[in-house]
Amino acid sequence: MQALDRKLLRDFRRLWAQALAIALVLACGVAIFITSFGMYRALEETRIAYYERNRFADVFSDARRAPLSLAREIETIEGVWAVETRVSGAAILDIPGRSKSAVGRILSIPTSGRFSLNVPLLRSGHVPDPETTDQVLVNEPFAQANGFQIGDVFAANLNGQKRPLTITGTVLSPEFIYTIGPGGLMPDNEGYGIIWMPEDAVAAAFDMAGAFNHVSLKLRADARAETVVSSLDNLLEPYGGLDAYDRSQQQSDAFIDAEIKQLRSTSIILPPVFFGITAFLVNMVIGRIIALERSEIGLLKAIGYSNFDICLHYLLLAGLIAVVGIVIGWGVGSWLSQSLARLYADFFNFPFLIYRVSYDAYIISGIIGVATAAVGAIRSVLNAARLAPAVAMSPPAPPKYKRNTLDHALLALRLSQPTMMIFRNLMRWPVRSALTTLGLSLAVSILVAATFFDDSLDTIVDTAFYQSNRQDAVLTFTDEMHESVLEDVRRLPGVLQAESKQYYPATLRNGHLSKRIAIESSRPNPDLSRVIDSDGRVVNPPANGIMLSDRLASELNVRAGDTIAVDFLSGRRESHKIMVAGTVTQYLGLGAYMDMDGLSALFRQKPRIGIVNVTLDENQTDNFHAALKEAPNLAGTTMMTETRQSFLDTIRQNVIIMTTIYVIVATLITVGVAYNGARIQLSERARELASLRILGFTRGEVSFILMGETMILALLAQPLGWLIGVEIARLMTNGFTSDLYTIPLILKPATFSFASLVVLSAALVATLVVRRRLDRLDLVAVMKTRE
Amino acid sequence: MPDLIFRTEGVTKVYDTGEVKIYALAGVDLKLFAGEFTVLLGASGSGKSTLLNILGGLDHVTEGRVWFKELDLTQLNDRGLTWFRRDHVGFVFQFYNLVPSLTARENVQLVTDVSPDPMAPEEALELVGLGHRMDHFPAEMSGGEQQRVAIARAIAKRPEVLLCDEPTGALDSKTGIQVLEALKNINDRFGTTTVVITHNAAIQKMAHRVIHFQDGRISNVYTNDQRLPPSEIVW
Ligand SMILES: Nc1ncnc2c1ncn2[C@@H]1O[C@H](COP(=O)(O)OP(=O)(O)OP(=O)(O)O)[C@@H](O)[C@H]1O
Ligand SMILES: [Mg+2]
C-alpha cells in the first residue's frame, strides 16, 4: 500500500466520530431515497403488470337498468376496445359465528364463465358452474379474515330474500386492490366482502334479467377517456346512468395512485435536504483538515506530489465518508423497503408484488452520495491545490478579526472577554455560522412539520367523529324509502335514536367547471350527523339553496349568493338552478348539503330517505344485529364505533412510527452539525483555549467559550426552524389536500417546544462530548505544536 | 572542473504587500557545482529561504533566470516544477514537516512511492542511523531523530541536490551534529550537491564553499581550504 493511502486510512480512523456523524446524515438521505424510490417503482410496476394481465378496465359506469342490447352500441363508441356489462348489487350478509352483520357487494360472473375485463385471479377452488344459483367466489382477504374454507356457507339477504351461498373459490381482482365498504374509512376485510355469483342467479335475485346496471370499458391506446365518458353518458342517460368515470375516480386505483404519487414526491423532496446538509458538513470538516494540514500539503508538493495527487487524496477522504454513509443507507434502506413491502402487501391486495431490488436505485443513490461528498469537499480541495508549496509551509497569517458596528455594539454591552470571544468568532466566520444555524433549523423544522400532523389529525378525528358523526351505526337501504321507515328502525331492538338522511348523486356545474358529488339532505338540527364549521358551530342547510364545503365551492369557483346548476343523477334526474346559500369548512370529503323539505319541494314529492343514523343501547347490539340480518331492503350497515376505533388505532400507530423516525432523523442532523461544528472549533482554537487555561481560566470558563458558540447558533436556529417548519407544514397540507380530505394546519405551542427541546438537547449532548475532549487537552502538547 | 548544477542570472524576487515593495532578492548571480557542500549565511530576512525555495522549484522568480543543468526553471509551469522536484530535489526544513499519521518508514515511503529510482526506505533510514526506529511515529521521536527522518526522506530518492533550510535550527548542538553528520555522509558517499542555510556561523567550517547574504544580495563568497568534520564543530 502506498504511504499516502496509509495516511488516508489513518486520518479517516482518527476522524471516525466526525465521519460517522456525517455518514449517518447521508445514510438518512440514501435510505429514504432507496425506500421511497424502490417502493414507488415496485408499486408502479406491480400495478401496471397486474392491470395488464387481468385487463383492468379504463372507464366505468353505473346505471339503473339498461338492456343488454345496449352493449352493442357501447362497443361502437369511438376508441372502445372491449365492453363488459354486469349486474351488481348490495347485500347484508349473515356469517356463521359472527354476531355482527357484514356487507357484501355482489357482482355477476358472465354466463360464459369467462371474464373479458377486470378478470379476477383465482387463488383457490374453482369458478362456479354458470347454471348454479347458490355458488359464489369471494375475494381472498374477506375469506381469510373470516376463516372461510372452500365449501363453507354463509347467508346473504339478496333483495329481501335470505339465501345460503356456498364458497367454491377465492379470488383477487384488480378492481379491489384496496377496498373500503360504503361509509367506511378504512378497509374492513371481515365486515365487507366482494362476492361473484353466476350472472343468471344475480339477475334473477335483483330482477335484472336481460339487463345490466354496471358497465366497464377498456379503451384503445389512442382513445381519449373524456370523450368516451361523455358518449357513454349519452347512451346510458335514458337508462338511469350515473355519470361514467375513469380510473382516477375508481376507488381502489385512486388510492393506489395517491400512494404512488406520495412515494414519488417523498423520493424527490426529502433526500435533497439530507444531501445538502451532508455537503455542508463535508465542506466544514475537509476545509478544517486542509487548513490543519497546510504544511503537510506544502511538503507533499515539495517532495513532488502533483496537485492532482493532492486533490485526489482529500477527495478520497470525503469519498470514504460518503462510502460509509452510502453503505449504511443501503443497509437501512433495504431493510426499510422490505418492511414496507410487507406492509403494502397487507394494505393492498396484490396477488404478487414485483419488488425487484432495483439496482438503479442503489446505483443512483450511491452516485448522488459520492457526488454530494465531492461537492462538499471540492472548494477546500481546490484551495489546497492552489496553495503554493513555499507559502503552504509557512504558518498561515492569524485570522483577521475586524471591528465593525456590531462589534462596537457588543463592546457597549460590556460583555465578559469569553463572551466577546464567542461573538467575535461567530462574526469571523459568517457563512459557516449561518450554514450551521440553517442546518440546525432544518432539524427543528423537520420535527415541527412531522408533529403538527398529530394535532391536525386530532382535530379531524374530533370534528368528524365526536362533533359531526355521533351515531353508533349507519343503516343504508337499497332503495329510496318513505320516511315512515324511521318508525320501523326505531322498533328494532336496542335502537335509542334514529334520524333520517339521504344522499343524492348529482353533478354540480358552474360554467365549464363541474364536479360529481353526493348531496346530503337531512332534517334541521339533527343530533347525530351534524355539519360542523371550523369554529365548532353546528350549521343547518337553509330551507332554500345549497350549502357547500369551502373546498367544493373553490373547485367550482362559486361564493355564497351565486347560483349553480345541479343535475340530479337519481330519482327524477332533473336539473335545477340552486343558489349557494353558504359555505362551511369541512376536513373530510367534498360535502354539499340541502334541507330535506326544501329538496322534496323541488322534486314535488314527499321526502325520501336512504340512510338512517342510529344510536344503540350497548347491551343490545347482538339483538340489533340479529334483527338486521333479517331486515329487507337493507343494503348495508356501518358500525361507527368500530370505524372510529380502527381509524384511531391506525392513526395512533402511524403517528408513533412517524414521530420516532423524525426524532431520529432530527437528532442525527443535529448531532452531525453540532458535533462537527464544536469539534472544528476545538481544533481551531485549541491553542487559544489552552492559553486561557494556562492564564488561569477554569475548565468551566473555557468550555463555556467552546460550547457557547454552538449553543448560541442552536438557539438562533429555533425561530428560523419554526418558520421553515410552518412553511413545510403548509406545503404538506396543500400537497395532501384531495377530494377525500383536507388537513387543517393546527399549530400548537407544544409542537414548537417539542421540536426545540429535541434539537437543543441533541446539540447540548453533542457539544458536551466535545467538551470532554477539551477537558483532556494536553496543555503542553498543544502549546508546543506549531501551527 | 565539476559539472554545473545550478546557475542563476539576475534573480530578483519582489513581494508586493500593497503599501511597500519588499525586495527579498535583489539580483542574485550564483553557480553551484556537482558534489559541492555549500553553506548559506546571512541575517534574518536577507533572502536565504527565498533563494532556496526558488532553486528547489517551490517558488517563482520575479525577474531573472535559473537553470538546473540545461533546464530553465523559470520557463516551467507548475506541472513542470512538480516533476522537477519529484525527480531531482530533496528538501529538509527546520520544522521537520513529517506527516504525523505516518511512521518513520512510511514518511520515507511517501517519497519512494513517487520517485523513479529510489532506495529502499529502510536503507535511507539506516544511512541516518535510524534503522532501529523505523516503525515509530513522529510523536514518539525526539527533534533530532525527526530531523534525521526528514533527511532520510529527502535522500531516499537519490536526489541530485539536497536543499536544507536551517536543518539544525530547532536542535541542540549534540543532536545538531548528528544531523550534520548525516548530511555530510550523504554528500561524501553520493556526491549530492548540498545547500545548507544556517544562522550558526560555526557550521560554515564543514562546507566547501560559504555564501554570505545581505539585503537580498550575495555579499561575500569564500572557499574553505580546510574542512572540519562535524564532530569537531562546537557551538
Ligand atoms: N510571502 C511574503 N510576503 C511578503 N514578504 C515576504 C514573504 N516571504 C518573505 N518575505 C520577505 O522577504 C524577505 C526575505 O525573506 P526570507 O524568508 O528569504 O529571509 P531569510 O533570509 O530566510 O530569513 P530567516 O533567516 O529569518 O529565515 C524578508 O524581508 C521577508 O519579510
Ligand atoms: Mg529563512
Side-chain angles (χ1 to χ4, degrees):
Chain A
M1 193 194 288
Q2 300 248 302
L4 204 57
D5 298 332
R6 213 164 276 147
K7 169 178 178 316
L8 178 69
L9 291 181
R10 294 222 178 104
D11 286 349
F12 183 64
R13 210 162 57 202
R14 189 166 46 83
L15 284 170
W16 73 268
Q18 278 171 279
L20 187 67
I22 301 174
L24 287 176
V25 175
L26 178 61
C28 278
V30 170
I32 292 174
F33 181 80
I34 293 221
T35 311
S36 47
F37 186 77
M39 285 318 300
Y40 152 67
R41 291 277 297 272
L43 273 190
E44 180 75 353
E45 283 179 24
T46 304
R47 173 170 76 160
I48 289 172
Y50 191 20
Y51 283 179
E52 200 162 296
R53 285 184 212 173
N54 292 54
R55 296 198 289 281
F56 182 52
D58 296 308
V59 169
F60 311 81
S61 184
D62 291 298
R64 182 159 286 275
R65 186 194 167 93
L68 278 174
S69 55
L70 195 69
R72 279 284 170 71
E73 281 181 63
I74 295 174
E75 272 167 16
T76 61
I77 295 175
E78 177 76 34
V80 172
W81 180 74
V83 175
E84 182 157 279
T85 61
R86 64 187 173 191
V87 180
S88 102
I92 295 284
L93 310 179
D94 184 359
I95 297 168
R98 182 182 150 97
S99 64
K100 279 170 255 162
S101 57
V103 179
R105 166 127 190 238
I106 315 277
L107 294 174
S108 58
I109 303 174
T111 321
S112 63
R114 288 217 309 280
F115 293 87
S116 58
L117 294 179
N118 307 320
V119 183
L121 184 81
L122 200 62
R123 302 281 288 174
S124 67
H126 63 89
V127 180
D129 187 327
E131 309 286 309
T132 59
T133 56
D134 60 350
Q135 297 190 358
V136 294
L137 293 171
V138 297
N139 60 325
E140 190 178 52
F142 174 63
Q144 281 168 351
N146 284 294
F148 287 142
Q149 305 291 327
I150 305 291
D152 280 358
V153 177
F154 63 92
N157 190 336
L158 297 175
N159 208 15
Q161 208 189 357
K162 193 163 170 177
R163 294 234 303 264
L165 300 174
T166 308
I167 298 171
T168 67
T170 61
V171 295
L172 284 173
S173 159
E175 268 183 289
F176 303 101
I177 297 171
Y178 185 87
T179 10
I180 297 183
L185 285 170
M186 310 293 294
D188 171 15
N189 290 331
E190 207 181 320
Y192 182 62
I194 314 293
I195 295 155
W196 284 264
M197 236 175 126
E199 184 161 343
D200 289 347
V202 186
F206 289 95
D207 204 11
M208 281 281 177
F212 67 90
N213 61 7
H214 183 96
V215 62
S216 309
L217 313 182
K218 183 120 195 87
L219 308 186
R220 287 182 214 287
D222 57 350
R224 275 170 48 89
E226 300 99 90
T227 52
V228 175
V229 162
S230 66
S231 311
L232 184 59
D233 280 342
N234 289 340
L235 281 179
L236 286 174
E237 168 73 36
Y239 307 103
L242 292 172
D243 287 2
Y245 52 93
D246 60 8
R247 284 182 183 180
S248 68
Q249 288 186 63
Q250 203 267 346
Q251 187 198 49
S252 162
D253 189 59
F255 265 93
I256 299 166
D257 210 56
E259 190 63 33
I260 287 175
K261 284 209 181 93
Q262 201 180 322
L263 280 170
R264 201 182 46 190
S265 47
T266 307
S267 76
I268 294 171
I269 294 169
L270 222 43
V273 173
F274 294 94
F275 294 138
I277 294 175
T278 305
F280 160 61
L281 292 178
V282 168
N283 173 287
M284 203 159 76
V285 169
I286 298 289
R288 177 56 196 158
I289 290 171
I290 285 173
L292 268 183
E293 296 190 349
R294 248 175 95 92
S295 60
E296 287 171 40
I297 293 167
L299 169 91
L300 289 172
K301 290 189 176 183
I303 289 173
Y305 281 88
S306 66
N307 286 342
F308 176 78
D309 295 332
I310 288 166
C311 286
L312 192 66
H313 177 65
Y314 290 102
L315 278 179
L316 280 177
L317 187 58
L320 277 181
I321 298 176
V323 166
V324 173
I326 291 165
V327 169
I328 297 176
W330 280 352
V332 174
S334 309
W335 174 77
L336 267 181
S337 317
Q338 262 160 35
S339 330
L340 205 61
R342 222 167 296 137
L343 208 68
Y344 276 128
D346 282 351
F347 197 62
F348 293 120
N349 301 309
F350 285 112
F352 51 86
L353 190 65
I354 304 183
Y355 180 64
R356 257 184 267 134
V357 179
S358 52
Y359 291 106
D360 39 352
Y362 287 82
I363 292 169
I364 293 170
S365 61
I367 291 173
I368 295 177
V370 170
T372 298
V375 166
I378 197 71
R379 211 173 57 101
S380 312
V381 167
L382 288 181
N383 280 342
R386 232 173 275 132
L387 269 181
V391 175
M393 262 176 305
S394 56
K400 286 190 185 119
Y401 289 87
K402 268 187 266 174
R403 285 191 181 238
N404 54 24
T405 9
L406 204 57
D407 202 57
H408 287 295
L410 289 173
L411 275 179
L413 286 174
R414 298 183 168 280
L415 298 168
S416 68
Q417 284 312 308
T419 315
M420 278 307 287
M421 287 173 72
I422 293 176
F423 280 108
R424 289 234 173 90
N425 211 43
L426 289 178
M427 289 183 293
R428 165 85 184 88
W429 307 104
V431 175
R432 190 210 285 169
S433 303
L435 285 176
T436 303
T437 311
L438 184 66
L440 293 172
S441 64
L442 283 177
V444 176
S445 66
I446 283 178
L447 284 172
V448 169
T451 43
F452 98 92
F453 224 65
D454 197 8
D455 293 326
S456 302
L457 284 175
D458 272 351
T459 307
I460 294 180
V461 168
D462 184 61
T463 321
F465 291 142
Y466 298 101
Q467 307 291 327
S468 299
N469 296 301
R470 310 198 291 183
Q471 68 275 42
D472 294 331
V474 181
L475 307 184
T476 316
F477 292 92
T478 45
D479 280 313
E480 294 187 350
M481 312 289 282
H482 194 260
E483 219 178 355
S484 63
V485 76
L486 260 188
E487 288 311 315
D488 300 335
V489 172
R490 286 204 179 102
R491 275 197 295 274
L492 288 172
V495 171
L496 301 175
Q497 273 173 295
E499 285 177 358
S500 56
K501 192 173 203 143
Q502 178 61 313
Y503 285 102
Y504 294 92
T507 302
L508 308 190
R509 296 183 203 283
N510 176 34
H512 67 285
L513 298 170
S514 76
K515 196 81 200 167
R516 195 191 129 163
I517 45 102
I519 298 174
E520 210 177 310
S521 85
S522 55
R523 293 279 176 201
N525 296 318
D527 202 35
L528 302 182
S529 172
R530 316 186 296 175
V531 182
I532 308 276
D533 206 346
S534 58
D535 57 5
R537 213 166 30 91
V538 179
V539 268
N540 279 314
N544 293 306
I546 186 167
M547 198 168 63
L548 304 178
S549 65
D550 48 7
R551 231 151 4 98
L552 182 56
S554 79
E555 279 195 35
L556 292 169
N557 193 23
V558 290
R559 253 173 292 159
D562 294 351
T563 303
I564 51 171
V566 179
D567 303 342
F568 289 93
L569 299 166
S570 62
R572 294 174 192 261
R573 300 179 65 84
E574 294 171 343
S575 293
H576 292 277
K577 294 234 177 276
I578 303 179
M579 196 191 66
V580 177
T583 63
V584 57
T585 304
Q586 295 282 280
Y587 301 133
L588 298 176
L590 287 177
Y593 311 91
M594 288 181 78
D595 179 66
M596 199 173 275
D597 283 330
L599 199 59
S600 309
L602 210 59
F603 288 157
R604 306 170 301 282
Q605 64 180 17
K606 285 240 169 92
R608 298 274 177 161
I609 62 172
I611 306 267
V612 177
N613 292 312
V614 296
T615 51
L616 297 173
D617 177 352
E618 252 178 73
N619 302 319
Q620 298 232 44
T621 26
D622 283 357
N623 294 340
F624 171 72
H625 283 288
L628 285 191
K629 288 173 183 173
E630 311 298 330
N633 295 321
L634 201 57
T637 53
T638 309
M639 293 304 293
M640 291 301 283
T641 35
E642 281 170 26
T643 306
R644 252 171 236 146
Q645 202 49 50
S646 69
F647 193 71
L648 287 180
D649 288 347
T650 312
I651 284 179
R652 196 161 300 137
Q653 202 187 347
N654 286 347
V655 162
I656 290 172
I657 294 174
M658 286 262 288
T659 312
T660 316
I661 289 177
Y662 282 106
V663 166
I664 291 174
V665 163
T667 307
L668 287 180
I669 293 179
T670 309
V671 169
V673 174
Y675 179 76
N676 277 300
R679 270 298 275 124
I680 282 167
Q681 270 183 59
L682 175 63
S683 125
E684 278 172 1
R685 310 177 77 183
R687 272 165 88 77
E688 190 178 323
L689 299 177
S691 324
L692 288 178
R693 292 272 288 121
I694 289 166
L695 289 176
F697 280 77
T698 63
R699 278 190 181 158
E701 285 164 334
V702 171
S703 50
F704 165 72
I705 297 175
L706 180 79
M707 296 177 61
E709 194 174 318
T710 308
M711 291 314 287
I712 283 180
L713 295 180
L715 282 175
L716 285 177
Q718 303 308 315
L720 184 62
W722 297 339
L723 282 179
I724 299 176
V726 169
E727 228 19 75
I728 296 178
R730 199 188 306 281
L731 282 176
M732 277 167 69
T733 52
N734 289 344
F736 287 169
T737 295
S738 66
D739 285 1
L740 296 170
Y741 50 82
T742 331
I743 297 188
L745 189 61
I746 306 288
L747 296 163
K748 292 190 180 161
T751 303
F752 299 107
S753 38
F754 173 71
S756 294
L757 187 72
V758 170
V759 170
L760 287 176
S761 322
L764 190 66
V765 170
T767 47
L768 276 175
V769 172
V770 178
R771 189 211 135 121
R772 284 185 25 150
R773 280 177 174 270
L774 180 64
D775 289 347
R776 289 199 306 256
L777 206 61
D778 178 347
L779 298 182
V780 181
V782 173
M783 295 312 289
K784 258 169 72 181
T785 52
R786 187 183 73 107
E787 195 182 315
Chain B
M1 187 77 179
D3 293 343
L4 194 57
I5 295 292
F6 277 115
R7 184 159 67 87
T8 72
E9 223 178 69
V11 167
T12 65
K13 175 76 183 177
V14 183
Y15 289 107
D16 197 345
T17 58
E19 302 111 49
V20 277
K21 287 191 172 162
I22 297 170
Y23 280 79
L25 294 178
V28 174
D29 301 300
L30 178 70
K31 284 177 180 161
L32 294 175
F33 299 97
E36 224 183 354
F37 193 112
T38 311
V39 165
L40 283 186
L41 285 171
S44 186
S46 56
K48 307 179 295 291
S49 299
T50 307
L51 177 68
L52 199 77
N53 288 344
I54 287 172
L55 291 180
L58 287 180
D59 213 342
H60 302 270
V61 300
T62 308
E63 255 173 71
R65 313 272 297 267
V66 180
W67 287 271
F68 171 76
K69 296 182 179 170
E70 300 301 308
L71 184 67
D72 186 347
L73 299 185
T74 45
Q75 297 299 311
L76 293 180
N77 59 11
D78 194 67
R79 224 180 133 70
L81 286 176
T82 300
W83 285 102
F84 162 65
R85 293 196 299 267
R86 184 183 285 207
D87 293 347
H88 305 290
V89 191
F91 284 100
V92 179
F93 303 98
Q94 180 181 2
F95 293 104
Y96 337 134
N97 276 319
L98 299 183
V99 175
S101 57
L102 297 179
T103 63
R105 188 206 309 267
E106 289 159 357
N107 261 287
V108 178
Q109 205 193 325
L110 213 44
V111 169
T112 58
D113 281 344
V114 292
S115 16
D117 176 30
M119 57 178 91
E122 294 78 12
E123 188 187 343
L125 284 165
E126 290 288 358
L127 278 173
V128 296
L130 281 178
H132 58 297
R133 304 298 299 271
M134 290 204 234
D135 294 316
H136 288 98
F137 283 95
E140 298 163 346
M141 286 185 274
S142 75
E145 285 161 347
Q146 289 186 51
Q147 189 60 299
R148 281 187 280 156
V149 174
I151 293 172
R153 188 177 61 191
I155 59 165
K157 68 165 81 158
R158 307 180 200 278
E160 278 146 284
V161 291
L162 190 55
L163 305 177
C164 314
D165 195 344
E166 300 185 40
T168 60
L171 305 173
D172 64 27
S173 65
K174 187 163 161 279
T175 34
I177 284 164
Q178 287 174 345
V179 167
L180 293 175
E181 294 270 18
L183 289 176
K184 180 165 188 306
N185 186 12
I186 308 299
N187 178 249
D188 291 346
R189 280 176 69 162
F190 303 107
T192 313
T193 307
T194 308
V195 182
V196 176
I197 294 180
T198 180
H199 280 282
N200 188 337
I203 292 174
Q204 60 183 301
K205 291 180 188 132
M206 66 179 281
H208 291 118
R209 225 163 27 126
V210 181
I211 299 172
H212 279 270
F213 254 73
Q214 203 176 348
D215 298 332
R217 286 198 182 82
I218 295 172
S219 61
N220 183 15
V221 182
Y222 76 90
T223 312
N224 268 334
D225 303 327
Q226 193 79 49
R227 294 173 68 201
L228 279 186
S231 54
E232 286 173 33
I233 295 174
V234 277
W235 75 80

